[in-house]
Amino acid sequence: MGESHDTNLPGAGAEELASRASRRAARLREDQAMGEGADAAVAEQLRQAERRLRTYSQGAEGERLVAQALGFLERYGWVSLHDVHWPGRPKANIDHIAVGPGGVVVVDAKNWTGEVVVRDGVLRQNGYSRERETTSATTATTAVGARLAAAHRSAVHPVLCLVAQDVEPVVLGQTTVVGRSALVEHLVSLPLRLSAYEVADVARFLATDLGGPRSPEVLTSADLATQTLARAGFTVRSEPARPTGRGRTGAGRSSPAPARTRAAGQPPRRRPSARKRDQRRGRTLVGGLVRVGMVVGLLVAVPHALEWWSDHGPTVVSTFLTPSTPEPALPAPVEPGPEPTG
């Protein structure tokens, strides 16, 4: 994956970089021949230019070979895109995207020389770790998946294709590393994810979205939420930011307020009239005055209550705590007996 360009031919981007490196190397050779810069610095620049020329030319040839291999997938219902934009990275490109029954496969072609092996779960070339390349393939796949509908994002897979090495498919992290000779068989063996109609729709969308003159932007989580709501039939409208003093971004600007959604066909909410707003303010003011009056009344009454308690409190307490003395019982009345008779 290299710099972006305006064509969508296999290896076009790498070929353009190789052409630039070739022209620079030619100018440096002329400088050396003319004696205008025959010093160590110019000699080092010449070596770097020639090294870049070999790298870009080798990369362009590798992309053409991988594109040729992907061409055999057409009979199995696959559509291939070559040298398209990397979303969010205007100066980078994606080598290949294959869309077929097995999903959307983002292919990064690597035409490496020397010994390329997978050892202890790490891809290595001549003993050096190439984990950055496998991670880059995963990052490109994530950017492509963000451009698709939610139903199709789980069908996007990263593949790193080794052009000059015969390597059976092996998964490193989220990226599948496979040799060019086994690439077609690997893609055909993927489980079914897309119907023929979905393949055509997704391929047509990606060709338009990533094959244009400009690189599309990376979608944020808010953008993805907006797309999901729109597909569900909701109308999303954004409101201007309100200066709240919080969430400042940039030169004193407030962060934008979150978008409000309403169901399609639902009438917009009406703002209350000025009269109703005045009534609400009046009720709020009266309620505040009542609360203030209650607080002031308590502050005035509490000192008087304390003074009264200091004067009469002991008497009240003793009255309730002192036990009462029972009254003595009166003797029972004696009934008079019968009078004696003479």
Side-chain angles (χ1 to χ4, degrees), residues 131-277:
E131 187 175 0
R132 183 179 65 178
E133 281 71 15
T134 57
T135 303
S136 176
T138 302
T139 304
T141 302
T142 302
V144 172
R147 305 295 302 178
L148 300 178
H152 298 147
R153 289 175 198 143
S154 61
V156 186
H157 314 286
V159 166
L160 193 147
C161 180
L162 302 175
V163 179
Q165 289 79 24
D166 294 332
V167 178
E168 294 298 320
V170 55
V171 179
L172 300 179
Q174 301 181 22
T175 302
T176 300
V177 178
V178 61
R180 178 171 58 95
S181 59
L183 176 62
V184 174
E185 180 181 359
H186 170 65
L187 297 186
V188 173
S189 65
L190 291 175
L192 182 64
R193 296 300 305 272
L194 302 178
S195 66
Y197 296 103
E198 289 176 317
V199 169
D201 291 340
V202 172
R204 182 167 51 249
F205 169 77
L206 290 177
T208 303
D209 190 49
L210 305 181
R214 299 179 58 184
S215 176
E217 297 181 356
V218 175
L219 297 178
T220 63
S221 57
D223 297 329
L224 298 177
T226 300
Q227 287 186 355
T228 303
L229 291 172
R231 292 189 179 97
F234 290 88
T235 302
V236 180
R237 56 187 180 90
S238 300
E239 294 186 355
R242 298 179 181 178
T244 59
R246 286 185 268 175
R248 297 285 182 177
T249 58
R253 295 178 298 175
S254 300
S255 56
R260 296 182 179 179
T261 60
R262 58 184 178 87
Q266 180 180 354
R269 295 179 58 185
R270 295 182 179 180
R271 298 185 60 186
S273 62
R275 181 179 179 181
K276 291 185 177 180
R277 290 198 298 269

Side-chain angles (χ1 to χ4, degrees), residues 5-335:
H5 45 85
D6 293 337
T7 60
N8 301 118
L9 300 176
E15 191 67 39
E16 174 63 23
L17 295 174
S19 176
R20 296 177 187 175
S22 176
R23 291 193 296 269
R24 175 168 175 77
R27 287 196 302 269
L28 292 172
R29 292 192 194 97
E30 292 176 358
D31 291 343
Q32 278 192 328
M34 297 174 60
E36 295 179 357
D39 54 6
V42 174
E44 178 61 24
Q45 292 179 8
L46 177 59
R47 284 192 294 270
Q48 292 179 2
E50 291 176 342
R51 184 165 57 249
R52 284 194 295 267
L53 172 59
R54 291 191 297 270
T55 300
Y56 294 143
S57 299
Q58 187 175 331
E61 179 63 20
E63 291 181 25
R64 284 191 288 267
L65 291 175
V66 173
Q68 182 180 2
L70 293 175
F72 292 105
L73 289 170
E74 294 182 1
R75 68 188 69 179
Y76 301 105
W78 288 76
V79 179
S80 299
L81 308 176
H82 310 288
D83 225 23
V84 295
H85 291 295
W86 184 322
R89 296 179 59 177
K91 294 185 178 181
N93 76 311
I94 295 176
D95 295 340
H96 314 278
I97 297 180
V99 185
V104 180
V105 181
V106 179
V107 182
D108 186 8
K110 296 298 181 184
N111 194 8
W112 289 338
T113 58
E115 182 186 20
V116 181
V117 296
V118 177
R119 184 180 300 118
D120 298 330
V122 179
L123 179 65
R124 297 183 179 275
Q125 179 198 12
N126 297 328
Y128 295 96
S129 173
R130 297 302 180 188
E131 187 175 0
R132 183 179 65 178
E133 281 71 15
T134 57
T135 303
S136 176
T138 302
T139 304
T141 302
T142 302
V144 172
R147 305 295 302 178
L148 300 178
H152 298 147
R153 289 175 198 143
S154 61
V156 186
H157 314 286
V159 166
L160 193 147
C161 180
L162 302 175
V163 179
Q165 289 79 24
D166 294 332
V167 178
E168 294 298 320
V170 55
V171 179
L172 300 179
Q174 301 181 22
T175 302
T176 300
V177 178
V178 61
R180 178 171 58 95
S181 59
L183 176 62
V184 174
E185 180 181 359
H186 170 65
L187 297 186
V188 173
S189 65
L190 291 175
L192 182 64
R193 296 300 305 272
L194 302 178
S195 66
Y197 296 103
E198 289 176 317
V199 169
D201 291 340
V202 172
R204 182 167 51 249
F205 169 77
L206 290 177
T208 303
D209 190 49
L210 305 181
R214 299 179 58 184
S215 176
E217 297 181 356
V218 175
L219 297 178
T220 63
S221 57
D223 297 329
L224 298 177
T226 300
Q227 287 186 355
T228 303
L229 291 172
R231 292 189 179 97
F234 290 88
T235 302
V236 180
R237 56 187 180 90
S238 300
E239 294 186 355
R242 298 179 181 178
T244 59
R246 286 185 268 175
R248 297 285 182 177
T249 58
R253 295 178 298 175
S254 300
S255 56
R260 296 182 179 179
T261 60
R262 58 184 178 87
Q266 180 180 354
R269 295 179 58 185
R270 295 182 179 180
R271 298 185 60 186
S273 62
R275 181 179 179 181
K276 291 185 177 180
R277 290 198 298 269
D278 293 339
Q279 291 177 350
R280 292 178 182 175
R281 294 193 188 100
R283 288 194 294 267
T284 303
L285 179 59
V286 171
L289 293 176
V290 171
R291 294 186 184 92
V292 171
M294 293 174 63
V295 172
V296 172
L298 288 175
L299 294 177
V300 173
V302 165
H304 295 283
L306 294 176
E307 182 180 356
W308 181 89
W309 180 258
S310 63
D311 296 337
H312 304 87
T315 304
V316 174
V317 172
S318 62
T319 300
F320 285 98
L321 297 181
T322 302
S324 59
T325 304
E327 296 181 358
L330 298 176
V334 179
E335 295 182 1

